[in-house]
Each structure stands twice: as C-alpha cells, then as structure tokens.
Amino acid sequence: GAGVSQSPRYKVAKRGQDVALRCDPISGHVSLFWYQQALGQGPEFLTYFQNEAQLDKSGLPSDRFFAERPEGSVSTLKIQRTQQEDSAVYLCASSLGGGGGNYNEQFFGPGTRLTVL
Amino acid sequence: AQSVTQLGSHVSVSEGALVLLRCNYSSSVPPYLFWYVQYPNQGLQLLLKYTSAATLVKGINGFEAEFKKSETSFHLTKPSAHMSDAAEYFCAVSTSGTYKYIFGTGTRLKVLA
C-alpha cells in the first residue's frame, strides 16, 4: 500500500535502553510529524519536519528524545535511556504540503507501541 | 492557541440507535476541524473534516458533523449505529497558520447488540 508505515509495531525495552522508531511517510510528502499517545489519551504533538529540516521540536518531552529525517523522507525517533513514563504509542503522520492550511491533511501510520519495563 | 474538549470519555448506544459524539473547540482564528477514528492497535483514520466550506460535513461510513460557530461545536453524528462502529473517536483542531493538530482526549464508542 501507499500509506504511512512504521516499524517496529511493538517494542519492549528495559529501563535505560535506547530505542529507535522508524517512519516511512507517503512518497512525496513534504511534511512529517511525530505524536505521542499515552494510554487513554489523545495524540500529542512531538515534532515537525519540512523535508529534512526540523522546524519544530517544542513537543519533545526531554533531551532524551531526538528525531531526524536526513534525506527528507524516512524519519527516525530515538529515545535514549528509556524510562517507564516513555511507554506510549508513537504515531507518525505525513502531509503533502509544507506548513498549515487546507491542503495539508495529515495521514497517520499505525503507530509503534513502546513498553518500557 | 487552540484546544479541544470531548465530552464523555465513554458512550454506549444500541445497534441502530443514533450516535452523537460531542466536540467543542477553542480557537482565536477560524479553525479547521477533524474527526478521526481509531480501531484497536491501528492508526488514526480520517472520518471527515471541516475546512471553512459547507458547515454540514459528510464523511465516510455514514458519519457527518456540523460546524456551529456560535456554539464552538463540531459534534459527530450517525443516524444508525452498527457494531462495526465500536472504536475510539478523536476530534482535532488546526488552523491555516499552523501545522499542529490539537487532539481531544477521545471518546470510546460501544455499540450494544
């Protein structure tokens, strides 16, 4: 299919381990977003890329969280020294255009469920 | 700044009954509004969106929503619930000047046979 894909779908990590979550956006989509969805909550914005530029990382909860999109396509969200409060579903979304507006519907991937023990 | 409030974290309806899921928003500029559905262990699927055209928006699977500026509401309705509608529903707001979606906390819909 031509949708947003994420891998792995499930990740279990021991507290203190580093993890890397991958997102493959829809081909040609300029914008890429990461959201964190805690259990029983709505998704919360983490960071935004326009092509390879990270234009907004205001939602990253700590400096243990790092995201990159080096070639303007695939993105990786890395969490260092994981803690139990990092347990959540991490959603990736992409949109065709840059910035906001009517034409920038976000398409979501299935998410990666991270469990930190 | 924008915000979204979804009243009722859990809603139960009988199969064939009206579905009404409530969403109120706050925005200092004209909003774009969205309803997404999330099935277990799946991502978010767009049901419908309001982007300043018609105030009554029709979406997939028989859902529709009406934008009411005076009430700052964007409630989701479906005339007759099906068992397959059981899922979690999220309302979200954005604006033309931003790219972030601000989501509500979600409403879990249960459909009773």
Side-chain angles (χ1 to χ4, degrees), chain B residues 11-110:
Chain B
V11 170
S12 293
V13 300
S14 298
E15 191 174 20
L18 171 72
V19 176
L20 171 61
L21 304 182
R22 299 178 186 274
C23 173
N24 288 87
Y25 70 91
S26 173
S27 178
S28 57
V29 297
Y32 298 141
L33 294 159
F34 308 84
W35 275 101
Y36 281 87
V37 62
Q38 187 176 37
Y39 297 100
N41 299 317
Q42 295 187 26
L44 300 172
Q45 179 183 7
L46 182 68
L47 280 176
L48 49 80
K49 61 182 178 182
Y50 166 76
T51 56
S52 75
T55 56
L56 182 61
V57 181
K58 295 188 183 298
I60 62 172
N61 301 339
F63 285 95
E64 63 181 37
E66 186 172 7
F67 173 69
K68 292 187 177 180
K69 183 178 179 180
S70 61
E71 299 177 8
T72 61
S73 69
F74 190 58
H75 301 330
L76 182 70
T77 61
K78 182 174 180 178
S80 176
H82 295 166
M83 298 297 290
S84 60
D85 295 328
E88 186 134 27
Y89 293 80
F90 292 95
C91 182
V93 65
S94 182
T95 71
S96 62
T98 67
Y99 40 78
K100 298 178 189 179
Y101 282 17
I102 306 299
F103 286 88
T105 52
T107 297
R108 185 170 298 278
L109 176 66
K110 186 174 182 179

